[in-house]
Amino acid sequence: MLARQNSNRTHKLILAALFATAGVFTTLIISCTQQDKREAPVPRQRSSGAGNVQTVAKPQINPADVLAVIETEKGNIEIEFLATEAPETSRNFIKNAKVHYYKREKFHRVEPLLIQAGSRFVTEENIPIENGAQQMSRGVVAMAKEEGATVADASEFFICRDTIIVNSDYTVFGKVTSGMDVVDTIVIDDAIINITIRDKD
């Protein structure tokens, strides 16, 4: 009889231990589940030792090192920048080309002496006149402007087919180095496929 009582006590102790273990295990599961439901921490930018966020500036393209390529269905027109004479205008043109301002735009003005194109996206921007004393000869690339204006349109440009006599300063920022035969064949509403910027060979 005593042995049976001892056996019952042992069973009760074992059951109590199992219930206690199960309780601890259940608590752990609930705790983990609640942690999973918490919002993940927001990622933070890595900062320098001084506490300032480190930013990497994009290198600026040097107009002296690149060419602009105007792609049309009739062929390509390559332009070399006058980086020393018109640095700001050259950089502005490169910026416009890099963000595809001229993509699918049309030559909206075509005359015996010039062809002109621009972008509908930046029509209200102006930039100062640079390099205004240059002669408007065949192959010259310049920024357009309103008659008598002291600033140039930031997106409208023209290419001279022949020498043009002008009575005010225009920013001459480039020269056609390849594709004048294409310039000569352009008619009104011919489209610019795109203008790309590439390194000089």
Side-chain angles (χ1 to χ4, degrees):
M1 189 70 155
L2 186 59
R4 183 178 297 175
Q5 287 178 348
N6 287 338
S7 175
N8 287 338
R9 283 180 188 168
T10 303
H11 285 303
K12 286 179 182 179
L13 288 173
I14 291 171
L15 284 173
L18 286 174
F19 280 127
T21 304
V24 171
F25 187 67
T26 303
T27 302
L28 285 173
I29 291 175
I30 291 171
S31 175
C32 290
T33 304
Q34 287 174 343
Q35 284 180 355
D36 288 342
K37 288 180 181 178
R38 289 176 193 161
E39 208 171 297
V42 178
R44 291 181 297 175
Q45 288 181 300
R46 184 176 296 178
S47 60
S48 64
N52 297 321
V53 175
Q54 293 178 331
T55 56
V56 180
K58 292 182 180 179
Q60 197 170 52
I61 295 174
N62 184 352
D65 298 333
V66 295
L67 297 171
V69 182
I70 303 175
E71 303 169 30
T72 77
E73 291 182 354
K74 294 180 175 177
N76 291 348
I77 305 164
E78 291 190 1
I79 297 170
E80 184 175 18
F81 293 102
L82 302 180
T84 303
E85 297 89 339
E88 293 305 316
T89 306
S90 298
R91 282 193 284 268
N92 175 73
F93 189 88
I94 290 169
K95 176 202 74 174
N96 288 348
K98 295 289 279 184
V99 296
H100 306 296
Y101 273 140
Y102 301 113
K103 192 171 185 177
R104 292 188 289 274
E105 296 290 349
K106 295 180 179 179
F107 288 96
H108 58 80
R109 181 183 177 193
V110 175
E111 299 177 4
L113 296 180
L114 63 85
I115 61 173
Q116 182 175 326
S119 172
R120 60 191 179 277
F121 297 113
V122 287
T123 53
E124 295 181 2
E125 289 186 39
N126 295 311
I127 52 176
I129 300 290
E130 294 181 295
N131 195 31
Q134 286 286 318
Q135 184 182 14
M136 297 286 188
S137 56
R138 179 172 167 81
V140 157
V141 187
M143 299 305 290
K145 67 182 183 72
E146 292 294 329
E147 186 69 28
T150 57
V151 291
D153 188 292
S155 73
E156 291 284 327
F157 69 95
F158 62 92
I159 303 173
C160 296
R161 285 174 159 173
D162 206 339
T163 300
I164 301 174
I165 306 300
V166 294
N167 56 10
S168 62
D169 288 344
Y170 288 79
T171 299
V172 174
F173 69 94
K175 176 80 175 175
V176 174
T177 57
S178 175
M180 274 307 297
D181 55 330
V182 177
V183 173
D184 291 334
T185 62
I186 294 295
V187 297
I188 199 159
D189 286 341
D190 275 350
I192 295 172
I193 297 171
N194 198 13
I195 298 181
T196 56
I197 305 298
R198 70 166 179 82
D199 293 336
K200 286 184 178 179
D201 294 332

